[in-house]
Amino acid sequence: MLKKTCLVIFASVIIAFCFSCSKSPEEDYTYSIDKVWWSDSIDTNLDHYVQSKRLNFDLRIQENVTRTVNARVFYKLHDASSFTFYAFLGEHTANGSDSKNLFFVPIGDPNKELPRGNYDFKIEVYEAGNTRIEATTGQKDSVLLTMQRFEQSSNDKNYSINVRWSNQFDRSNNTYWRYAKLVLNVDVDAPLTKNVYAKLYYKKSAETVYQIYHEFPNYSIYDQNVQDTVSCFVGTPTIELEHGTYDFKIELYESANNILVALADESTPELNDVKFESESEDSYFYTISRVWWSDIVDLDGDTYTQFRKLNFAVEVDKNETRTIFAKIYYMPPDTSDYLKYDSTANFPITGKLPTNIYSSNIGYSIQLDSAKYNFLISIYEPTADTVEAFQASVSSSTDTTLANQKFETLSRDIKK
C-alpha cells in the first residue's frame, strides 16, 4: 500500500513539473527612460505659472524588438505625500536596439488643468495588455519633474485657436487632397487688440518630429472677432505632400515679446490624420484610344448613309473606375465651326479595360443632308458646377475615321 501511495505521489510531482515546464516564461526586455524634458510652455501673463506644457520623454529598449507600450503620468502638489494619476500616454509603438522613442503627454489643455501651485510628476511605462512596470522616472529626473508651476487658463490671458479647412482639391476623389486652404482664427478673451504671429508645422502621422511649413507674419486680432483670420494653402504647389496622413501644429506668439501664448496640435481633430497626396498621385488622364463606325444603313448603295453608330473606346491611365460622359460634334461643309450633335448619358470606365466602349447614333435624332461631314468627340467628367470638366477629345484633324463622312437624309436614301 505504501509503495502504491509513493508511486501516485511521484507521478503527481512529475505531472506538475511537466506542466510548469510547458508554461513559457513571460518575456522580459530591458526598458529605460533615457531623458525627460518640458516644451511648449504657455504662460501668457509671464508670471512663471504656465497654463499648459508638454512633458516629453525618450523611451529606450535595449533588445532588437518592437513593442506596443503605454504610460501613466502621476502628479502631486510638491508638499503632498502621495502621487495621483493624471493621464495616460495612449498606446504607441516603441522600437528596440536602443533607438529613440520620443513621446509626450500634455499637462493642462487638452487634459485636466491644474489649480495654481507647484507640482511634482512621475512617469511609469508598461507594455500594452500587461500591468508590470517596465520603466519609471527616477532620481536623475527629479530636478525636471519637481516644483513645476501651473495655473488654470482662467488665471492667465487666454488665447484660443480655431482652424478649418476650405478649398479642398481632390481630383481623384479618393479623400486624399492635393491641396487645401488652412484658415486660422485666433481669439483673445478680452476686448483688446493684440499683435500676434503664428507658425505652422507638419509631420507624417506616424512620426514624432514636426517640421516648419509656413509662418503667418505679424497681424492684429481683436477680442472674438471672426473676421481677423489668416490662411495659407497646404500641399501643391507650396510644399508638396506625398500620399499619406499628416498631423499639423500651430504655435501662436505675441509679437511684442515673442512668447508662446497658444498651441494647437494633433489633439485638435482638424489637425489630426489629415490626408494629402502629391500632384502626380492625384492626377490621371483620359485617352480616346479607338474610334470606329458600325450598323451602317445605306439603302441605295451610294456610300451616303442615312444612319450609323459612332463607337469610341476611352481609357484612363490609372486602374480606377471613373464616371464620364461624351459630347459629339459635327462640322457641315463650307464651315469651320463644329455644331453639337449629341450628349451621352454618364457611363463608367475602368483603367484600360476593353469594355470601356460607348456609342452615339448618327443620323437618327438629327438627319444630315447629303454631304460630307467632319466629327469631333469630347470627354467630360460630370460636376456639380456649371463649368464643364473637359478631359479629352479626338477630331477629324487627328483621326481620319472622323473626316469626310458621307451622310444623307432618310428621304434621299431610297433603294432603287
Side-chain angles (χ1 to χ4, degrees):
M1 183 69 182
L2 180 60
K3 184 177 180 181
K4 184 176 182 181
T5 302
C6 291
L7 288 172
V8 170
I9 293 173
F10 179 74
S12 301
V13 170
I14 292 297
I15 292 171
F17 176 78
C18 293
F19 179 78
S20 64
C21 289
S22 66
K23 292 175 64 178
S24 59
E26 190 175 348
E27 293 176 306
D28 190 7
Y29 301 109
T30 310
Y31 286 83
S32 64
I33 295 177
D34 185 68
K35 180 183 178 183
V36 297
W37 71 100
W38 296 94
S39 67
D40 302 288
S41 299
I42 297 178
D43 175 20
T44 55
N45 61 9
L46 298 178
D47 64 352
H48 304 296
Y49 283 81
V50 303
Q51 58 174 282
S52 67
K53 58 182 175 178
R54 285 179 170 180
L55 175 54
N56 306 274
F57 64 98
D58 178 8
L59 178 67
R60 303 294 182 96
I61 308 174
Q62 294 301 312
E63 292 77 12
N64 183 21
V65 294
T66 298
R67 309 299 291 170
T68 301
V69 300
N70 203 335
R72 289 181 288 259
V73 175
F74 297 86
Y75 77 111
K76 71 179 182 71
L77 282 167
H78 181 67
D79 295 328
S81 58
S82 60
F83 282 93
T84 300
F85 171 75
Y86 179 77
F88 289 105
L89 166 68
E91 292 188 2
H92 289 270
T93 298
N95 297 313
S97 299
D98 203 33
S99 302
K100 289 184 177 180
N101 296 286
L102 307 180
F103 304 124
F104 71 88
V105 176
I107 308 299
D109 184 54
N111 291 320
K112 177 176 64 175
E113 293 189 347
L114 300 177
R116 186 180 178 92
N118 297 335
Y119 293 88
D120 300 342
F121 296 87
K122 72 173 182 177
I123 304 169
E124 293 179 352
V125 177
Y126 58 97
E127 291 188 351
N130 201 334
T131 58
R132 184 179 64 195
I133 298 174
E134 302 290 353
T136 185
T137 49
Q139 186 62 36
K140 66 182 177 66
D141 310 305
S142 60
V143 173
L144 287 169
L145 296 180
T146 58
M147 293 290 288
Q148 296 297 312
R149 297 175 176 180
F150 281 87
E151 67 180 353
Q152 293 175 319
S153 59
S154 58
N155 297 324
D156 208 5
K157 284 188 300 184
N158 198 22
Y159 288 82
S160 59
I161 297 175
N162 301 292
V163 294
R164 61 182 174 87
W165 295 94
S166 68
N167 299 86
Q168 300 93 329
F169 184 82
D170 175 18
R171 173 169 164 76
S172 61
N173 293 315
N174 65 349
T175 73
Y176 286 79
W177 302 333
R178 183 189 304 188
Y179 62 80
K181 181 189 284 187
L182 178 67
V183 182
L184 172 62
N185 179 35
V186 176
D187 293 325
V188 61
D189 60 355
L192 301 169
T193 297
K194 289 289 185 180
N195 291 322
V196 297
Y197 66 93
K199 295 180 180 180
L200 173 66
Y201 298 84
Y202 76 108
K203 68 176 181 67
K204 283 194 171 181
S205 297
E207 297 175 350
T208 57
V209 179
Y210 280 97
Q211 303 177 61
I212 186 70
Y213 192 92
H214 177 76
E215 183 167 337
F216 300 94
N218 181 64
Y219 70 103
S220 296
I221 63 168
Y222 178 78
D223 197 13
Q224 310 290 312
N225 188 356
V226 297
Q227 302 301 321
D228 51 9
T229 62
V230 291
S231 63
C232 73
F233 275 97
V234 176
T236 306
T238 49
I239 298 177
E240 191 173 55
L241 301 177
E242 64 182 24
H243 186 92
T245 59
Y246 292 82
D247 296 334
F248 295 87
K249 181 176 72 168
I250 298 169
E251 295 177 348
L252 181 73
Y253 296 84
E254 283 190 353
S255 302
N257 46 34
N258 295 319
I259 64 167
L260 181 67
V261 293
L263 177 73
D265 59 15
E266 67 263 36
S267 60
T268 302
E270 291 81 2
L271 300 177
N272 177 246
D273 287 346
V274 188
K275 297 177 179 178
F276 279 92
E277 65 184 357
S278 67
E279 181 176 2
S280 62
E281 291 165 326
D282 190 47
S283 298
Y284 54 92
F285 301 96
Y286 293 99
T287 304
I288 302 174
S289 58
R290 189 161 64 99
V291 177
W292 70 100
W293 297 93
S294 67
D295 299 84
I296 297 172
V297 177
D298 177 17
L299 298 179
D300 59 12
D302 62 356
T303 70
Y304 283 78
T305 61
Q306 61 166 282
F307 173 85
R308 288 189 241 167
K309 275 189 177 180
L310 176 56
N311 307 279
F312 50 95
V314 184
E315 296 178 349
V316 61
D317 65 347
K318 289 189 176 180
N319 189 28
E320 299 171 347
T321 299
R322 304 285 171 208
T323 298
I324 59 174
F325 68 95
K327 290 185 179 183
I328 313 300
Y329 297 86
Y330 71 106
M331 183 190 295
D334 303 322
T335 180
S336 59
D337 295 326
Y338 280 101
L339 305 175
K340 190 173 82 169
Y341 186 89
D342 186 24
S343 183
T344 72
N346 293 342
F347 59 94
I349 65 166
T350 302
K352 298 183 178 182
L353 292 180
T355 54
N356 296 338
I357 294 172
Y358 210 80
S359 62
S360 179
N361 296 326
I362 308 299
Y364 179 74
S365 59
I366 300 175
Q367 293 189 38
L368 300 177
D369 290 332
S370 181
K372 296 179 181 179
Y373 297 86
N374 294 328
F375 289 86
L376 178 148
I377 305 170
S378 292
I379 300 300
Y380 299 83
E381 284 186 341
T383 68
D385 301 327
T386 56
V387 178
E388 294 180 319
F390 169 78
Q391 303 299 326
S393 67
V394 61
S395 69
S396 56
S397 62
T398 56
D399 191 328
T400 56
T401 308
L402 298 174
N404 298 316
Q405 297 300 304
K406 299 175 181 178
F407 280 87
E408 65 184 357
T409 63
L410 174 62
S411 60
R412 295 289 299 272
D413 187 32
I414 300 174
K415 191 172 184 179
K416 295 181 176 64

